[in-house]
Amino acid sequence: MVQPTYVDCVRGASIFFSKYRKGFTVKFQKTHSTRPANVKREWFVVDATGLPLGRLSSEVARILRGKHKPEFAPHLDVGDHVVVINAEKVAVTSNKSESKIYYRHSGFPGGLREQSFAELMEKYPERIVEKAINGMLPKNRLGRQMGSKLKVYAGPDHPHQAQQPRDLVLDIRKVEA
């Protein structure tokens, strides 16, 4: 008959097992659950010069969601802050610069407005990048919270030097002009 003994587990606490001998190490495997207090956020700067709009947007959306982190949880906002600079130099492939149309509606009858890619790029180049990235985030409160961590600037300057952002080089082939 096996006598019940105490064994040490990995965490240092003693537990009671009747089938293990004394001194045997038991490894516990627990399911990890990320909590909002445990989320550590970083700041990244992405230079959009010559990068295709869709591929840039998908990579930035992945970072905003936090899918690059091992503690990713789809029900939590674990993503990082992203600053996109040089949005006026983002590229599109094929003939999207002439054929792509952006729509918005004022809410009143007949209030549908449209702008071409070239018109929007001339007036508000930041909006093109913001629309593309926000379109790849979840369409709920969590998605809007993730989108609030995105900052887009048309030129190379941004006011977020105090956060000490790191340069993020994306492994995306640039579009040749």
Side-chain angles (χ1 to χ4, degrees):
M1 179 176 168
V2 177
Q3 294 293 324
T5 58
Y6 287 96
V7 293
D8 294 327
C9 68
V10 173
R11 301 171 125 193
S14 295
I15 58 170
F16 181 76
F17 278 103
S18 63
K19 64 181 183 177
Y20 296 119
R21 286 183 281 158
K22 190 172 186 177
F24 188 82
T25 303
V26 178
K27 184 178 181 182
F28 287 98
Q29 294 182 347
K30 296 180 96 179
T31 301
H32 174 74
S33 179
T34 304
R35 296 169 190 241
N38 298 339
V39 176
K40 293 180 182 172
R41 299 188 196 281
E42 294 184 55
W43 283 75
F44 293 105
V45 173
V46 177
D47 188 1
T49 304
L51 295 178
L53 178 62
R55 294 180 188 205
L56 166 75
S57 302
S58 64
E59 287 296 316
V60 171
R62 188 176 65 87
I63 293 168
L64 287 172
R65 289 197 69 188
K67 286 191 139 185
H68 63 293
K69 295 180 173 181
E71 63 264 14
F72 171 74
H75 65 283
L76 285 177
D77 179 15
V78 297
D80 295 323
H81 297 267
V82 179
V83 178
V84 178
I85 58 173
N86 291 324
E88 63 191 3
K89 297 177 183 173
V90 73
V92 289
T93 57
S94 70
N95 65 345
K96 291 183 197 115
S97 59
E98 295 100 33
S99 64
K100 186 156 182 63
I101 304 290
Y102 291 92
Y103 295 97
R104 61 186 168 87
H105 200 282
S106 66
F108 294 98
L112 183 63
R113 302 288 183 256
E114 62 181 38
Q115 280 184 307
S116 69
F117 177 85
E119 291 171 355
L120 198 59
M121 180 61 94
E122 187 178 312
K123 288 179 102 176
Y124 309 106
E126 309 92 13
R127 289 186 189 173
I128 291 174
V129 176
E130 286 173 357
K131 280 178 172 267
I133 294 172
N134 286 330
M136 296 182 180
L137 293 175
K139 310 292 184 286
N140 53 24
R141 282 182 286 173
L142 188 62
R144 289 188 290 277
Q145 183 181 351
M146 293 172 183
S148 68
K149 294 181 301 188
L150 172 68
K151 313 293 179 195
V152 181
Y153 297 97
D157 299 325
H158 64 87
H160 303 286
Q161 281 86 13
Q163 285 75 28
Q164 300 173 344
R166 294 186 327 183
D167 287 339
L168 182 67
V169 179
L170 301 175
D171 190 22
I172 303 172
R173 188 178 63 185
K174 293 189 176 189
V175 175
E176 298 173 7

